[in-house]
């Protein structure tokens, strides 16, 4: 599975699943454009990518800001003339009861997750159409499929990603652009660092596979969906969750 000389744009690429995706795609031959608000960590990942022999660009950008997103895409186009792969992974986590969620928090949650995916797709798609193909992966969540108490704003944003993905896949299929969503369950990322050990153990025991997923497992699935082997897969939501969420027909 080689992506030699392809250009991959990954948002939220400084840590967790985003970082694993950057490194996995780089190992397979991609040059990486990395977007993250944590510029210091993003540069650390950039150094790792360069050690793999690949080129990289780093942008400190708020994905919810359409003007900044447009500038990022323009800079990548000026450098590489194309974008082959777009992974909308940037996220924002916050737990609260419905009546405690402020207008700002609601707008931020929707803006980062759903707005970020919309912004990057809007400016990247014309480049992909020009090249007569491309791969778009939107990172959703099992919360977007099933909902979760005290995560109504997050669940709503991720559910929006699912509808956005399916509609966009239909729209872009004639242009040979694949659009899919990945809905991870409990994945071991830095977001778990502040969670009490007993809570993590309880969550793990509720997973049929009896462990958390790894960022690298999610990244491997992303790599497959971006490969030529997955050409006939589009408009799908693939959940990687160890059996914790099994949805029947």
């Amino acid at each position: 599975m080689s992506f030699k000389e392809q250009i991959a744009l990954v948002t939220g690429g400084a840590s967790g699943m985003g970082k694993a995706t950057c490194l996995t795609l780089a190992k397979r031959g991609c040059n990486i454009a990395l977007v993250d608000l944590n510029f210091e960590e993003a540069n650390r990942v950039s150094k790792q990518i360069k050690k793999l022999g690949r080129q990289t660009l780093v942008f400190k950008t708020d994905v919810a800001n359409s003007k900044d997103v447009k500038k990022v895409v323009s800079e990548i186009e000026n450098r590489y003339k194309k974008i082959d792969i777009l992974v909308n992974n940037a996220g924002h986590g916050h737990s609260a009861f419905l009546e405690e969620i402020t207008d700002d928090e609601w707008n931020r949650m929707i803006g980062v997750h759903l707005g970020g995916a919309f912004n990057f797709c809007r400016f990247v798609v014309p480049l992909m159409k020009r090249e007569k193909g491309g791969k778009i992966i939107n990172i959703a969540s099992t919360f977007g499929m099933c909902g979760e108490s005290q995560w109504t704003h997050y669940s709503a944003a991720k559910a929006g990603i699912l509808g956005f993905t399916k509609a966009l896949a239909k729209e872009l299929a004639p242009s040979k652009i694949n659009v899919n969503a990945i809905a991870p369950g409990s994945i071991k990322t830095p977001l778990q660092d502040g969670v009490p050990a007993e809570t993590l153990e309880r969550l793990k025991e509720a997973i049929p596979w009896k462990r958390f997923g790894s960022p690298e497992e999610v990244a491997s699935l992303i790599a497959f969906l971006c490969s030529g082997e997955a050409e006939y897969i589009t408009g799908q939501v693939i959940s990687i969750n160890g059996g914790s969420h099994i949805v029947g027909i």
Side-chain angles (χ1 to χ4, degrees):
M1 191 188 300
S2 175
F3 298 92
K4 188 176 182 181
E5 300 308 323
Q6 290 194 30
I7 310 303
L9 167 55
V10 182
T11 71
S15 64
M17 294 181 292
K19 175 183 176 180
T21 298
C22 288
L23 296 176
T24 296
L25 293 177
K27 288 174 184 176
R28 287 163 168 76
C30 280
N31 294 319
I32 307 294
L34 192 163
V35 173
D36 205 290
L37 282 175
N38 191 330
F39 197 59
E40 184 177 347
E41 287 300 318
N43 277 306
R44 288 197 180 99
V45 176
S46 176
K47 290 178 181 178
Q48 292 180 259
I49 294 169
K50 290 176 180 176
K51 286 181 180 179
L52 294 170
R54 308 315 307 166
Q55 298 176 29
T56 180
L57 296 174
V58 177
F59 301 92
K60 181 179 181 180
T61 304
D62 182 353
V63 301
N65 187 315
S66 63
K67 291 182 179 179
D68 288 349
V69 170
K70 186 177 182 179
K71 290 178 183 177
V72 167
V73 174
S74 179
E75 286 190 42
I76 299 170
E77 182 183 11
N78 289 338
R79 172 74 176 274
Y80 294 113
K81 310 305 179 188
K82 64 174 185 173
I83 295 174
D84 301 289
I85 295 168
L86 169 62
V87 181
N88 287 306
N89 169 74
H92 172 64
H94 175 258
S95 173
F97 287 105
L98 175 67
E99 59 268 31
E100 298 171 351
I101 299 172
T102 65
D103 288 350
D104 287 344
E105 188 56 54
W106 173 268
N107 292 332
R108 184 63 181 161
M109 191 69 74
I110 301 299
V112 170
H113 291 277
L114 192 51
F118 166 72
N119 286 334
F120 272 97
C121 286
R122 178 166 48 151
F123 297 119
V124 169
V125 162
L127 278 65
M128 291 184 170
K129 285 184 175 180
R130 190 177 66 199
E131 297 296 319
K132 297 180 171 56
K135 308 285 186 178
I136 298 174
I137 306 295
N138 297 319
I139 302 302
S141 167
T142 52
F143 285 11
M145 300 171 69
C146 304
E148 186 61 37
S149 174
Q150 299 179 53
W151 290 83
T152 52
H153 48 348
Y154 182 88
S155 298
K158 291 302 191 181
I161 288 289
L162 303 185
F164 176 72
T165 297
K166 294 174 183 179
L168 190 60
K170 289 182 178 181
E171 185 173 317
L172 297 181
S175 301
K176 304 303 179 188
I177 299 171
N178 299 73
V179 188
N180 291 292
I182 294 176
S186 295
I187 307 297
K188 189 170 180 56
T189 70
L191 290 176
Q192 291 186 351
D193 291 347
V195 179
E198 59 271 20
T199 301
L200 290 176
E201 187 61 28
R202 176 175 53 80
L203 291 172
K204 185 173 69 175
E205 284 303 306
I207 300 170
W209 213 252
K210 300 302 179 186
R211 69 169 175 84
F212 297 120
S214 72
E216 290 73 22
E217 287 173 310
V218 177
S220 292
L221 176 56
I222 290 171
F224 169 70
L225 290 174
C226 291
S227 74
E229 298 172 23
E231 182 179 348
Y232 202 55
I233 301 174
T234 195
Q236 302 305 305
V237 178
I238 302 176
S239 187
I240 177 168
N241 59 53
S244 59
H245 294 76
I246 299 176
V247 181
I249 296 176

